[in-house]
Amino acid sequence: MNIGGVLDARLDNDRRLPLLDSYVDEIAEAGFDTVRLPVCWSAHAGEQAPFTIAPTFFDRVDAAVEQVLSRGLDLVLDVHHYEQLQRDPAAHADRFLALWQQIAERYRDRDTERIAFELLNEPREQLTADRWNDLLRLGLAEVRATSPDRTVLIGPARLNAVDALGDLRWPDDENLVVTVHYYEPFAFTHQAAPWLDDAHRWLGTPWGTPEDRVVLRRDLATAAQWAGARGVPLFVGEFGTYAAADRDSRVRWTTAVRTELERLGVGWCYWDFATDFGVFDPAGGTWHEPLRAALLGGTSR
Ligand code: BGC
């Protein structure tokens, strides 16, 4: 389960959710086994070398890490919303590497089996496949300086899209997982998403024809084959639907993605717990059914 809206806020007033102990309890008790925690480190680090991460922010991340691990959940910690890096990779590469140097150092002895690092959420824009292929090697080296064995997740450019895997140059390293995000068809999953120009025109896009299902299975098989050919585990780190899509289509799509990934033996994290794609209503303290059941199987509660 992705816990969005907590530590990925680009600005403090963009923080949408407190990380209550009861939320982490809900996630663990529902039967999820892994939390992906998106973290916007770049909003809390110096702009000049040595690009120090604010101690108060590190304390907040420590507290969240503790909350997740203490429930027996595994954790994926990423670098999220580093938008200046996407727009100007040359100007921000050193800062990106300095972030990883500090993060890896901070957690160097902490649960090496249960905390995985993900180098960067959704490289895009000026961070083209070529530039990302170079930068990810430097990022991995920074992590490996203090975490020789920890699992590291790396996804392709173009927003971790499945069809960008072909341009991903895979590093030679024993403890890597390849990660992709699945939001296809985009006009269905992102209908009426307010941060996208014109997404309101997609409102009413349904999902669930036999042709839709063929495309979905083909896309996921493409990712699984890429990973299988390299002997690398695949992880779908985000998939989900914006709340404006009709409920039945959301449930059909979510069930189809989840069951197909499980058939393929692929791990996943849903986007997300309780923001605008959420499966949990933080105000009422209840799960959205039957979306929860679509993720975990069984019948709605
Ligand atoms: C972003 C969210 C967004 C989601 C779906 C995530 O990576 O952090 O802000 O809602 O993708 O587009």
Side-chain angles (χ1 to χ4, degrees), residues 3-4 14-15 40 67 98 117 122 149 153 198 205 222 224 256 273 278 288 296 300:
I3 304 185
D14 182 32
R15 205 184 300 166
C40 188
Q67 277 176 297
F117 293 154
E122 299 188 346
D149 303 320
L153 282 67
D198 299 333
T205 307
T222 301
F273 177 57
H288 294 302
L296 292 168
S300 299

Side-chain angles (χ1 to χ4, degrees), residues 68 79 106 153 239:
V68 170
V79 166
R106 178 84 162 203
L153 282 67
F239 73 103

Side-chain angles (χ1 to χ4, degrees), residues 8 10 16 36 38 80-81 121-122 181 183 186 190 195 238 271 275-277:
D8 51 341
R10 282 159 272 207
R16 285 172 284 173
R36 179 170 177 266
H80 211 85
H81 286 321
N121 182 64
E122 299 188 346
H181 292 177
Y183 287 110
F186 199 72
H190 280 69
W195 63 94
E238 291 186 15
W271 186 273
T275 71
D276 39 21
F277 283 58

